[in-house]
Amino acid sequence: MRPDPGTFLWLVAHDLRLEWRGFAGLLGGASPRAVGLVVVAGGILLHLLAWPAVAWLSPALHGTEATVAPLAAVLGGAFTWMIAQSVFGATRTLYDRGDLDLLLSSPLPAEQVIAAKAVAIAASTLGSISLLVLPLANIGALIEGPAWLGIYPTLIAMALIATALGLGLLIALFWLVGPRRARTTAQMTAAGIGGAFVLGAQIVAMLPGPLRLAVTDWVDGAARSDTMGASALLRLPLEAVRGDALAMAILLVSGVVLFWVAVSMLGERFANASLLAAGAQAEASHGKRSRLAFCAGRSRNLRLKEWRLLVRDPSLFAQLGLQIIYTIPLAVVLLRSELLPTALALGPTIVMIAAQVAGSIAWITVSGEDAPELIATAPVTAAAVDRAKLSAVALPVLAILALPLAGLAFVSWRAALVVIVFAAMAGASTALLNFWHPMPGNRRGMLRRHSQSRLIGLVEHGLAMLWVFSVVFALLGSVLALAPIAIVIGILAFCRGRSGGRAEAGVALAPGTPDLPLSLGRRAAI
């Protein structure tokens, strides 16, 4: 039974439908049946992976003497992730517009429209973490009993609270820094929130044994304390997720009330902010000029053009920051091993980051090109454009890796030289892959750039892993380092042969555009 048009439930269903379409877009616009099969297959796989995790978390859930630190860590990571996702979702709603202008100009109450958007953001926030956590609840209930099902209301309450905090944070930043800077500031803040817990958990893992034990004891003491304050805020979700009915009820009611208060208080402000955001976007093109002045030299100007576009959109660095932050645990795990030297722990992480960042920036410069027709018709050769764009990719990658490479040089300058060489080759390989197989898309959708071709995404990740293996063997002084390099060369040769001249002068053709002869690439607009 469909809700009546114009009602609150109708608006919520509409927004949830849009969220589902966005999820399907991650799979390259697959059919509903294909998306359903992917969801079912992924659910089965995640439930299988949850089986050993249940045994790890079970003592914290139902044990009386066991530490609850692992459970607190899972809940803390889930909550910070939810806050970050809610800020991202609210920012997209405010700035990407979509149907917001149409709905706000309709006879529907603005508060009702914003409330429906907030419910959709909460549902999306819940869905982003439920895929990983709810299999734990299902497998735990199957093995040990229904107490594990307390995870369901706990996650719902946390999603409502996180959405309320995310909306409040976005509106506060909007009025604090202004409409033009709020988007970038909010995205950077969300990336910092999402990565803060990951980094904090890794810092705790790197502490000496006595200090790490002291942190665990503090968490246990706060979770079992009967006092009010910060310990109560920690104890309530822990008791709820362990199946305490009273704690679940209190947490769920608190989440609903806080969400309702936030939507009621911020709904009108959000609607007003949307109007100001639309005006700020219109004025953005008339802002201050970049200090990167164009001079003589086509290659130099092409590089400056790419750097200027990167500087204009710092939110891209927030997305790159997320990629880097979620790679750091690899280094932490390796550094904690007493059997591995520091150089062997840092080297693979630096090479992995170089490959990922270079691939992302290369995609921005090629597939995210804002003026493909202008580049295609310019009196410049394809090789010159490719060289300029490739060199434009190199500087940001070098700037990001400068600090860890300097630290590695203090440990071993020989190892640093080896890592620099392999990082350069790794970055060049993933950049070239994106040059040869462009996938047109919006620059802001960098994290979704592989939605059109999962195969290219797998190849890019495979190249990165091969370079990681190669640098490990090279740091060990083994000739086995040549084996991954040979495989990489073979993959690149195959990919280059299969590129088929789909794009000329580093320009990605728009979807549906017929292939053009290469001789026409510089003479006719695409």
Side-chain angles (χ1 to χ4, degrees), residues 219-228 231-232 235:
V219 173
D220 288 338
R224 294 188 171 94
S225 175
D226 294 330
T227 60
M228 300 301 292
S231 60
R235 185 173 64 255

Side-chain angles (χ1 to χ4, degrees), residues 303-392:
R303 288 192 295 269
L304 290 177
K305 171 250 187 188
E306 298 299 340
W307 294 337
R308 176 179 288 184
L309 292 177
L310 289 175
V311 171
R312 282 182 180 175
D313 194 2
S315 61
L316 294 172
F317 292 99
Q319 299 182 56
L320 289 174
L322 284 176
Q323 289 183 306
I324 296 172
I325 287 172
Y326 292 117
T327 307
I328 290 178
L330 171 64
V332 174
V333 171
L334 296 176
L335 285 171
R336 289 187 62 190
S337 175
E338 299 179 355
L339 302 177
L340 295 178
T342 303
L344 200 57
L346 292 178
T349 306
I350 293 174
V351 171
M352 175 65 76
I353 291 175
Q356 290 183 341
V357 173
S360 297
I361 299 180
W363 180 86
I364 292 171
T365 62
V366 180
S367 297
E369 175 62 63
D370 292 327
E373 296 88 352
L374 180 63
I375 300 295
T377 57
V380 58
T381 64
V385 172
D386 287 342
R387 286 194 299 269
K389 286 180 175 284
L390 190 60
S391 60

Side-chain angles (χ1 to χ4, degrees), residues 8 137 140 301 320 500:
F8 176 72
N301 284 335
L320 289 174

Side-chain angles (χ1 to χ4, degrees), residues 248-303:
M248 282 190 287
I250 294 175
L251 189 62
L252 195 56
V253 170
S254 300
V256 172
V257 171
L258 184 60
F259 180 80
W260 178 80
V261 169
V263 172
S264 300
M265 294 181 60
L266 301 176
E268 184 178 353
R269 291 181 174 85
F270 195 92
N272 293 334
S274 69
L275 299 177
L276 295 175
Q281 288 178 309
E283 296 174 1
S285 59
H286 303 289
K288 296 181 180 179
R289 291 187 176 183
S290 172
R291 295 182 179 180
L292 299 175
F294 290 118
C295 300
R298 290 176 300 185
S299 297
R300 182 175 185 272
N301 284 335
L302 281 169
R303 288 192 295 269

Side-chain angles (χ1 to χ4, degrees), residues 149-479:
L149 297 179
I151 293 177
Y152 275 82
T154 303
L155 280 185
I156 294 173
M158 289 171 60
L160 293 174
I161 296 172
T163 303
L165 295 176
L167 289 172
L169 180 59
L170 174 62
I171 295 300
L173 290 173
F174 189 90
W175 297 112
L176 182 64
V177 303
R180 291 183 57 186
R181 297 184 179 90
R183 177 173 190 158
T184 297
T185 305
Q187 290 178 328
M188 297 291 286
T189 302
I193 293 173
F197 186 85
V198 175
L199 294 179
Q202 302 310 316
I203 291 174
V204 172
M206 294 177 64
L207 292 175
L211 285 179
R212 191 164 61 249
L213 182 61
V215 172
T216 302
D217 291 340
W218 179 84
V219 173
D220 288 338
R224 294 188 171 94
S225 175
D226 294 330
T227 60
M228 300 301 292
S231 60
L233 297 177
L234 176 63
R235 185 173 64 255
L236 188 62
L238 285 174
E239 292 300 325
V241 81
R242 297 171 87 174
D244 186 281
L246 179 60
M248 282 190 287
I250 294 175
L251 189 62
L252 195 56
V253 170
S254 300
V256 172
V257 171
L258 184 60
F259 180 80
W260 178 80
V261 169
V263 172
S264 300
M265 294 181 60
L266 301 176
E268 184 178 353
R269 291 181 174 85
F270 195 92
N272 293 334
S274 69
L275 299 177
L276 295 175
Q281 288 178 309
E283 296 174 1
S285 59
H286 303 289
K288 296 181 180 179
R289 291 187 176 183
S290 172
R291 295 182 179 180
L292 299 175
F294 290 118
C295 300
R298 290 176 300 185
S299 297
R300 182 175 185 272
N301 284 335
L302 281 169
R303 288 192 295 269
L304 290 177
K305 171 250 187 188
E306 298 299 340
W307 294 337
R308 176 179 288 184
L309 292 177
L310 289 175
V311 171
R312 282 182 180 175
D313 194 2
S315 61
L316 294 172
F317 292 99
Q319 299 182 56
L320 289 174
L322 284 176
Q323 289 183 306
I324 296 172
I325 287 172
Y326 292 117
T327 307
I328 290 178
L330 171 64
V332 174
V333 171
L334 296 176
L335 285 171
R336 289 187 62 190
S337 175
E338 299 179 355
L339 302 177
L340 295 178
T342 303
L344 200 57
L346 292 178
T349 306
I350 293 174
V351 171
M352 175 65 76
I353 291 175
Q356 290 183 341
V357 173
S360 297
I361 299 180
W363 180 86
I364 292 171
T365 62
V366 180
S367 297
E369 175 62 63
D370 292 327
E373 296 88 352
L374 180 63
I375 300 295
T377 57
V380 58
T381 64
V385 172
D386 287 342
R387 286 194 299 269
K389 286 180 175 284
L390 190 60
S391 60
V393 172
L395 183 62
V397 176
L398 180 61
I400 292 172
L401 297 180
L403 185 59
L405 285 173
L408 181 58
F410 279 107
V411 177
S412 171
W413 66 268
R414 291 185 177 87
L417 290 177
V418 172
V419 172
I420 289 174
V421 172
F422 278 85
M425 292 190 295
S429 64
T430 54
L432 289 173
L433 179 67
N434 282 275
F435 274 39
W436 295 335
H437 294 272
M439 294 172 289
N442 190 299
R443 295 169 63 90
R444 301 188 187 278
M446 183 184 66
L447 296 182
R448 301 183 179 185
R449 65 187 187 276
H450 293 314
S451 61
Q452 293 178 341
S453 176
R454 292 293 177 185
L455 179 59
I456 296 299
L458 291 174
V459 173
E460 183 177 316
H461 293 309
L463 291 175
M465 291 304 302
L466 287 170
W467 285 116
V468 167
F469 293 142
S470 184
V471 75
V472 169
F473 288 130
L475 290 173
L476 292 174
S478 173
V479 295

